[in-house]
Coordinates of all heavy atoms in Angstrom, one line a residue:
W52 N 42.3 85.6 -5.0 CA 43.1 85.7 -6.2 C 44.6 85.8 -6.0 O 45.4 85.3 -6.8 CB 42.5 86.8 -7.1 CG 41.2 86.5 -7.6 CD1 40.0 87.1 -7.3 CD2 40.8 85.4 -8.6 NE1 39.0 86.6 -7.9 CE2 39.4 85.5 -8.7 CE3 41.5 84.5 -9.2 CZ2 38.7 84.7 -9.5 CZ3 40.8 83.6 -10.1 CH2 39.4 83.7 -10.2
A53 N 45.0 86.5 -4.9 CA 46.4 86.6 -4.6 C 47.0 85.3 -4.3 O 48.1 85.0 -4.6 CB 46.6 87.6 -3.5
G54 N 46.2 84.4 -3.7 CA 46.7 83.1 -3.3 C 46.9 82.3 -4.6 O 47.9 81.5 -4.7
F55 N 46.1 82.5 -5.6 CA 46.3 81.7 -6.9 C 47.6 82.3 -7.6 O 48.3 81.5 -8.2 CB 45.2 81.9 -7.8 CG 43.9 81.3 -7.3 CD1 42.7 82.0 -7.5 CD2 43.9 80.2 -6.6 CE1 41.5 81.5 -7.0 CE2 42.7 79.6 -6.1 CZ 41.5 80.3 -6.3
G56 N 47.8 83.6 -7.4 CA 49.0 84.2 -8.1 C 50.3 83.7 -7.5 O 51.3 83.7 -8.1
H57 N 50.2 83.3 -6.2 CA 51.5 82.8 -5.5 C 51.7 81.3 -5.6 O 52.4 80.8 -4.9 CB 51.4 83.3 -4.1 CG 51.6 84.7 -3.9 ND1 50.5 85.6 -3.8 CD2 52.7 85.5 -3.9 CE1 50.9 86.8 -3.6 NE2 52.3 86.8 -3.7
G58 N 51.0 80.7 -6.5 CA 51.2 79.3 -6.8 C 50.5 78.4 -5.8 O 50.8 77.2 -5.8
Q59 N 49.5 78.8 -5.1 CA 48.7 77.9 -4.2 C 47.5 77.4 -5.0 O 46.4 77.6 -4.7 CB 48.3 78.7 -3.0 CG 49.4 79.2 -2.2 CD 48.9 80.1 -1.1 OE1 47.7 80.5 -1.1 NE2 49.8 80.5 -0.1
L60 N 47.8 76.6 -6.0 CA 46.7 76.1 -6.9 C 45.9 75.0 -6.2 O 44.8 74.8 -6.6 CB 47.3 75.5 -8.2 CG 48.0 76.6 -9.1 CD1 48.6 75.9 -10.3 CD2 47.0 77.7 -9.5
E61 N 46.4 74.4 -5.2 CA 45.6 73.4 -4.5 C 44.4 74.1 -3.7 O 43.4 73.4 -3.4 CB 46.4 72.5 -3.5 CG 47.3 73.3 -2.5 CD 48.6 73.7 -3.0 OE1 49.1 73.1 -4.0 OE2 49.2 74.5 -2.4
S62 N 44.5 75.4 -3.5 CA 43.4 76.1 -2.8 C 42.3 76.3 -3.8 O 41.2 76.7 -3.4 CB 43.9 77.4 -2.2 OG 44.3 78.3 -3.2
L63 N 42.6 76.1 -5.1 CA 41.5 76.2 -6.1 C 40.4 75.2 -5.9 O 39.2 75.5 -6.2 CB 42.1 76.1 -7.5 CG 41.2 76.3 -8.7 CD1 40.7 77.8 -8.7 CD2 42.0 76.1 -10.0
V64 N 40.7 74.1 -5.4 CA 39.7 73.1 -5.1 C 38.7 73.6 -4.1 O 37.5 73.3 -4.2 CB 40.4 71.8 -4.7 CG1 39.3 70.7 -4.3 CG2 41.3 71.2 -5.7
H65 N 39.1 74.3 -3.1 CA 38.3 74.7 -2.0 C 37.8 76.1 -2.2 O 37.1 76.7 -1.4 CB 39.0 74.6 -0.7 CG 39.4 73.2 -0.4 ND1 38.5 72.3 0.1 CD2 40.7 72.6 -0.4 CE1 39.2 71.1 0.3 NE2 40.5 71.3 0.0
F66 N 38.1 76.7 -3.4 CA 37.8 78.1 -3.6 C 36.3 78.4 -3.6 O 35.8 79.3 -2.9 CB 38.3 78.6 -5.0 CG 38.0 79.9 -5.4 CD1 38.4 81.0 -4.7 CD2 37.1 80.1 -6.4 CE1 38.1 82.3 -5.1 CE2 36.7 81.4 -6.8 CZ 37.2 82.5 -6.1
P67 N 35.4 77.6 -4.2 CA 34.0 77.9 -4.2 C 33.4 77.8 -2.7 O 32.6 78.6 -2.3 CB 33.3 76.9 -5.1 CG 34.4 76.4 -5.9 CD 35.7 76.5 -5.2
V68 N 33.8 76.8 -2.0 CA 33.3 76.6 -0.6 C 33.8 77.8 0.3 O 33.0 78.4 1.0 CB 33.7 75.3 -0.1 CG1 33.3 75.1 1.4 CG2 33.2 74.2 -0.9
A69 N 35.0 78.1 0.2 CA 35.6 79.2 1.0 C 34.9 80.5 0.7 O 34.6 81.3 1.5 CB 37.1 79.3 0.8
L70 N 34.8 80.7 -0.6 CA 34.1 82.0 -1.1 C 32.7 82.1 -0.6 O 32.2 83.1 -0.1 CB 34.2 82.1 -2.6 CG 33.7 83.4 -3.2 CD1 34.6 84.6 -2.7 CD2 33.7 83.3 -4.7
W71 N 32.0 81.0 -0.7 CA 30.6 80.9 -0.2 C 30.5 81.2 1.3 O 29.6 81.9 1.7 CB 29.9 79.6 -0.6 CG 28.5 79.5 -0.2 CD1 27.4 80.1 -0.9 CD2 28.0 79.0 1.0 NE1 26.3 79.8 -0.2 CE2 26.6 79.2 1.0 CE3 28.5 78.3 2.1 CZ2 25.7 78.7 2.0 CZ3 27.7 77.9 3.1 CH2 26.3 78.1 3.1
L72 N 31.3 80.5 2.0 CA 31.3 80.7 3.5 C 31.6 82.2 3.9 O 30.9 82.7 4.7 CB 32.3 79.8 4.2 CG 31.9 78.3 4.1 CD1 33.1 77.5 4.7 CD2 30.7 78.1 5.0
E73 N 32.6 82.8 3.2 CA 32.9 84.2 3.6 C 31.8 85.1 3.1 O 31.5 86.0 3.8 CB 34.2 84.6 2.9 CG 35.4 84.0 3.5 CD 36.7 84.4 2.9 OE1 36.7 85.3 2.1 OE2 37.7 83.7 3.1
Q74 N 31.2 84.8 2.0 CA 30.1 85.7 1.5 C 28.9 85.6 2.4 O 28.2 86.6 2.6 CB 29.8 85.4 0.0 CG 30.8 85.8 -1.0 CD 30.9 87.3 -1.1 OE1 30.2 88.1 -0.4 NE2 31.8 87.8 -1.9
S75 N 28.6 84.4 2.8 CA 27.4 84.2 3.7 C 27.6 84.9 5.0 O 26.6 85.5 5.5 CB 27.1 82.7 3.9 OG 28.1 82.1 4.6
T76 N 28.8 84.9 5.5 CA 29.1 85.7 6.8 C 28.9 87.2 6.5 O 28.3 87.9 7.3 CB 30.5 85.3 7.3 OG1 30.5 83.9 7.5 CG2 30.8 86.0 8.6
R77 N 29.5 87.6 5.4 CA 29.4 89.1 5.1 C 28.0 89.5 4.9 O 27.6 90.5 5.3 CB 30.2 89.4 3.8 CG 31.7 89.6 4.1 CD 32.3 90.2 2.8 NE 33.7 89.6 2.8 CZ 34.2 88.8 1.9 NH1 33.4 88.4 0.9 NH2 35.4 88.4 1.9
N78 N 27.2 88.7 4.2 CA 25.8 89.0 3.9 C 25.0 89.0 5.1 O 24.1 89.9 5.3 CB 25.3 88.0 2.8 CG 25.8 88.3 1.5 OD1 26.4 89.3 1.2 ND2 25.8 87.2 0.6
S79 N 25.2 88.1 6.1 CA 24.5 88.1 7.3 C 24.8 89.3 8.1 O 23.9 89.9 8.7 CB 24.7 86.8 8.1 OG 26.0 86.8 8.5
K80 N 26.0 89.7 8.2 CA 26.4 91.0 8.9 C 25.8 92.2 8.2 O 25.3 93.1 8.9 CB 27.9 91.1 8.9 CG 28.6 90.2 9.9 CD 30.1 90.3 9.9 CE 30.8 89.3 10.7 NZ 32.2 89.4 10.7
L81 N 25.7 92.2 6.9 CA 25.1 93.3 6.2 C 23.6 93.4 6.4 O 23.0 94.4 6.7 CB 25.4 93.1 4.7 CG 24.8 94.2 3.7 CD1 25.5 95.5 3.9 CD2 24.9 93.7 2.3
L82 N 23.0 92.2 6.5 CA 21.5 92.1 6.8 C 21.2 92.6 8.2 O 20.3 93.3 8.4 CB 21.0 90.7 6.5 CG 19.6 90.5 6.4 CD1 18.9 91.4 5.3 CD2 19.2 89.0 6.2
N83 N 22.1 92.2 9.1 CA 21.9 92.6 10.5 C 22.0 94.2 10.6 O 21.2 94.8 11.3 CB 22.9 92.0 11.4 CG 22.6 90.6 11.8 OD1 21.5 90.1 11.6 ND2 23.6 89.9 12.2
A84 N 23.0 94.7 10.0 CA 23.1 96.2 10.0 C 22.0 96.9 9.3 O 21.5 97.9 9.8 CB 24.5 96.6 9.4
A85 N 21.5 96.3 8.2 CA 20.3 96.9 7.6 C 19.1 96.9 8.4 O 18.3 97.8 8.5 CB 20.1 96.2 6.2
Y86 N 18.9 95.8 9.2 CA 17.7 95.7 10.1 C 17.8 96.8 11.2 O 16.8 97.3 11.6 CB 17.7 94.3 10.7 CG 17.1 93.2 9.9 CD1 17.6 91.9 9.9 CD2 16.0 93.5 9.0 CE1 17.0 90.9 9.1 CE2 15.5 92.5 8.2 CZ 16.0 91.2 8.3 OH 15.4 90.3 7.5
E87 N 19.0 97.0 11.7 CA 19.2 98.0 12.7 C 18.9 99.4 12.2 O 18.2 100.2 12.8 CB 20.6 98.0 13.2 CG 21.0 96.8 14.1 CD 22.4 96.8 14.5 OE1 23.1 97.8 14.4 OE2 22.9 95.7 15.0
I88 N 19.3 99.7 11.0 CA 19.0 101.0 10.4 C 17.5 101.2 10.1 O 16.9 102.2 10.4 CB 19.8 101.2 9.0 CG1 21.3 101.2 9.3 CG2 19.4 102.4 8.3 CD1 22.2 101.1 8.1
L89 N 16.9 100.1 9.6 CA 15.5 100.2 9.3 C 14.7 100.3 10.6 O 13.7 101.0 10.7 CB 15.0 99.0 8.5 CG 15.4 98.9 7.1 CD1 15.1 97.6 6.4 CD2 14.8 100.1 6.3
G90 N 15.1 99.6 11.7 CA 14.4 99.7 13.0 C 14.5 101.1 13.5 O 13.5 101.6 14.0
A91 N 15.7 101.7 13.5 CA 15.8 103.1 14.0 C 15.0 104.1 13.2 O 14.4 105.0 13.7 CB 17.3 103.5 14.0
T92 N 15.0 103.9 11.9 CA 14.2 104.8 11.0 C 12.7 104.6 11.3 O 11.9 105.6 11.3 CB 14.5 104.5 9.5 OG1 15.9 104.6 9.3 CG2 13.8 105.5 8.6
H93 N 12.3 103.3 11.5 CA 10.9 103.1 11.8 C 10.4 103.7 13.1 O 9.3 104.3 13.2 CB 10.6 101.6 11.8 CG 9.2 101.2 11.8 ND1 8.8 100.0 12.3 CD2 8.1 101.8 11.4 CE1 7.5 99.9 12.2 NE2 7.0 101.0 11.6
K94 N 11.3 103.7 14.1 CA 11.0 104.3 15.4 C 10.8 105.8 15.2 O 9.9 106.5 15.7 CB 12.0 104.0 16.4 CG 11.9 102.6 17.0 CD 12.8 102.5 18.2 CE 14.2 102.0 17.7 NZ 15.1 101.6 18.9
S95 N 11.7 106.4 14.4 CA 11.7 107.9 14.1 C 10.4 108.2 13.4 O 9.8 109.3 13.7 CB 12.9 108.3 13.3 OG 14.1 108.2 14.0
L96 N 10.0 107.4 12.4 CA 8.8 107.7 11.7 C 7.5 107.6 12.6 O 6.6 108.4 12.5 CB 8.6 106.7 10.6 CG 9.6 106.8 9.4 CD1 9.4 105.7 8.4 CD2 9.4 108.1 8.7
I97 N 7.5 106.6 13.5 CA 6.4 106.5 14.4 C 6.3 107.7 15.4 O 5.3 108.3 15.6 CB 6.5 105.2 15.3 CG1 6.3 104.0 14.4 CG2 5.5 105.2 16.4 CD1 6.6 102.7 15.0
Q98 N 7.5 108.2 15.9 CA 7.5 109.3 16.8 C 7.1 110.6 16.0 O 6.4 111.4 16.6 CB 8.9 109.4 17.4 CG 9.2 108.3 18.4 CD 10.7 108.3 18.7 OE1 11.5 108.9 18.1 NE2 11.0 107.5 19.8
T99 N 7.6 110.8 14.8 CA 7.2 111.9 14.0 C 5.7 112.0 13.7 O 5.1 113.0 13.8 CB 8.0 112.0 12.7 OG1 9.4 112.0 13.1 CG2 7.7 113.2 12.0
A100 N 5.2 110.8 13.4 CA 3.7 110.8 13.1 C 2.9 111.1 14.3 O 1.9 111.8 14.2 CB 3.4 109.4 12.5
E101 N 3.3 110.6 15.4 CA 2.6 110.9 16.7 C 2.7 112.3 17.0 O 1.7 113.0 17.4 CB 3.2 110.0 17.8 CG 2.4 110.3 19.1 CD 3.0 109.5 20.3 OE1 4.0 108.8 20.1 OE2 2.5 109.7 21.4
S102 N 3.8 112.9 16.8 CA 4.0 114.4 17.1 C 3.1 115.2 16.2 O 2.5 116.2 16.6 CB 5.5 114.7 16.9 OG 5.6 116.1 17.1
Q103 N 3.0 114.8 14.9 CA 2.2 115.5 14.0 C 0.7 115.4 14.4 O -0.1 116.4 14.3 CB 2.4 115.0 12.5 CG 1.6 115.8 11.5 CD 2.1 117.3 11.5 OE1 3.2 117.6 11.7 NE2 1.1 118.1 11.2
V104 N 0.3 114.2 14.8 CA -1.1 114.1 15.3 C -1.4 114.9 16.5 O -2.5 115.6 16.6 CB -1.4 112.6 15.5 CG1 -2.8 112.4 16.2 CG2 -1.5 111.8 14.2
R105 N -0.4 115.0 17.4 CA -0.6 115.9 18.6 C -0.7 117.4 18.1 O -1.4 118.1 18.7 CB 0.6 115.7 19.5 CG 0.3 114.7 20.6 CD 1.5 114.6 21.5 NE 2.5 113.8 20.8 CZ 3.8 113.9 21.1 NH1 4.2 114.6 22.0 NH2 4.6 113.1 20.4
T106 N 0.0 117.8 17.1 CA -0.1 119.1 16.6 C -1.5 119.4 16.1 O -2.1 120.4 16.4 CB 1.0 119.3 15.4 OG1 2.3 119.1 16.0 CG2 0.9 120.7 14.9
F107 N -2.0 118.5 15.3 CA -3.4 118.7 14.8 C -4.4 118.6 16.0 O -5.4 119.4 16.0 CB -3.8 117.6 13.8 CG -3.1 117.8 12.5 CD1 -2.5 116.7 11.8 CD2 -3.0 119.0 11.9 CE1 -1.9 116.9 10.6 CE2 -2.3 119.2 10.7 CZ -1.8 118.1 10.0
D108 N -4.2 117.8 16.9 CA -5.1 117.7 18.1 C -5.1 119.0 18.9 O -6.1 119.5 19.3 CB -4.7 116.6 19.0 CG -5.1 115.2 18.5 OD1 -5.8 115.2 17.5 OD2 -4.6 114.2 19.0
H109 N -3.9 119.6 19.0 CA -3.8 120.9 19.7 C -4.6 122.0 18.9 O -5.3 122.8 19.5 CB -2.3 121.4 19.7 CG -2.1 122.7 20.3 ND1 -2.3 123.0 21.6 CD2 -1.8 123.9 19.7 CE1 -2.1 124.3 21.9 NE2 -1.8 124.9 20.7
L110 N -4.6 121.9 17.6 CA -5.4 122.8 16.8 C -6.8 122.6 17.0 O -7.6 123.6 17.2 CB -5.0 122.6 15.3 CG -5.5 123.7 14.3 CD1 -4.8 125.0 14.6 CD2 -5.1 123.2 12.9
V111 N -7.3 121.4 17.1 CA -8.7 121.0 17.3 C -9.1 121.5 18.7 O -10.2 122.0 18.9 CB -8.9 119.5 17.0 CG1 -10.3 119.2 17.4 CG2 -8.7 119.2 15.6
F112 N -8.3 121.2 19.7 CA -8.6 121.6 21.1 C -8.8 123.2 21.1 O -9.7 123.7 21.8 CB -7.5 121.2 22.0 CG -7.6 119.8 22.5 CD1 -6.6 118.9 22.4 CD2 -8.8 119.3 23.1 CE1 -6.7 117.6 22.8 CE2 -8.9 118.0 23.5 CZ -7.9 117.2 23.4
A113 N -7.9 123.9 20.5 CA -8.0 125.3 20.5 C -9.3 125.8 19.8 O -10.0 126.7 20.3 CB -6.8 126.0 19.7
S114 N -9.7 125.1 18.7 CA -11.0 125.5 18.1 C -12.1 125.1 19.0 O -13.1 125.9 19.1 CB -11.1 124.7 16.8 OG -10.1 125.1 15.9
L115 N -12.1 124.0 19.6 CA -13.2 123.6 20.5 C -13.3 124.5 21.7 O -14.4 124.9 22.2 CB -13.0 122.1 21.0 CG -13.2 121.1 19.9 CD1 -12.9 119.7 20.5 CD2 -14.6 121.1 19.3
N116 N -12.2 124.9 22.3 CA -12.2 125.9 23.4 C -12.8 127.2 23.0 O -13.6 127.8 23.8 CB -10.8 126.1 24.0 CG -10.3 124.8 24.7 OD1 -11.1 124.0 25.2 ND2 -9.0 124.7 24.8
R117 N -12.4 127.7 21.9 CA -13.0 129.0 21.4 C -14.4 128.8 21.1 O -15.2 129.7 21.4 CB -12.2 129.5 20.2 CG -10.8 130.0 20.6 CD -9.9 130.5 19.5 NE -10.1 131.7 18.9 CZ -10.2 132.9 19.4 NH1 -10.1 133.0 20.7 NH2 -10.3 134.0 18.7
A118 N -14.8 127.7 20.5 CA -16.2 127.5 20.2 C -17.1 127.4 21.5 O -18.2 127.9 21.5 CB -16.4 126.3 19.3
S119 N -16.5 126.7 22.5 CA -17.3 126.5 23.7 C -17.5 127.8 24.5 O -18.5 128.0 25.2 CB -16.6 125.5 24.6 OG -15.4 126.0 25.1
R120 N -16.6 128.8 24.3 CA -16.7 130.1 25.0 C -17.8 130.9 24.3 O -18.4 131.8 25.0 CB -15.4 130.8 24.9 CG -14.4 130.4 26.0 CD -13.2 131.2 26.1 NE -12.1 130.3 25.7 CZ -11.1 130.6 24.9 NH1 -11.0 131.8 24.4 NH2 -10.2 129.7 24.6
S121 N -18.1 130.7 23.1 CA -19.0 131.6 22.4 C -20.3 130.8 22.0 O -21.1 131.3 21.2 CB -18.4 132.1 21.1 OG -18.1 131.1 20.2

Side-chain angles (χ1 to χ4, degrees):
W52 290 111
F55 298 142
H57 290 95
Q59 298 173 349
L60 295 178
E61 54 273 343
S62 65
L63 185 60
V64 173
H65 299 286
F66 176 69
V68 174
L70 185 64
W71 181 82
L72 289 173
E73 287 180 16
Q74 287 293 356
S75 63
T76 302
R77 277 191 213 113
N78 289 338
S79 66
K80 288 178 183 177
L81 180 70
L82 194 58
N83 283 341
Y86 282 143
E87 288 177 16
I88 294 169
L89 287 174
T92 305
H93 192 206
K94 284 191 269 187
S95 296
L96 291 175
I97 291 169
Q98 292 166 345
T99 303
E101 182 184 359
S102 179
Q103 186 61 34
V104 168
R105 269 184 281 155
T106 299
F107 288 138
D108 286 349
H109 176 73
L110 191 65
V111 172
F112 278 126
S114 296
L115 292 175
N116 286 337
R117 288 177 77 53
S119 67
R120 279 186 247 139
S121 64

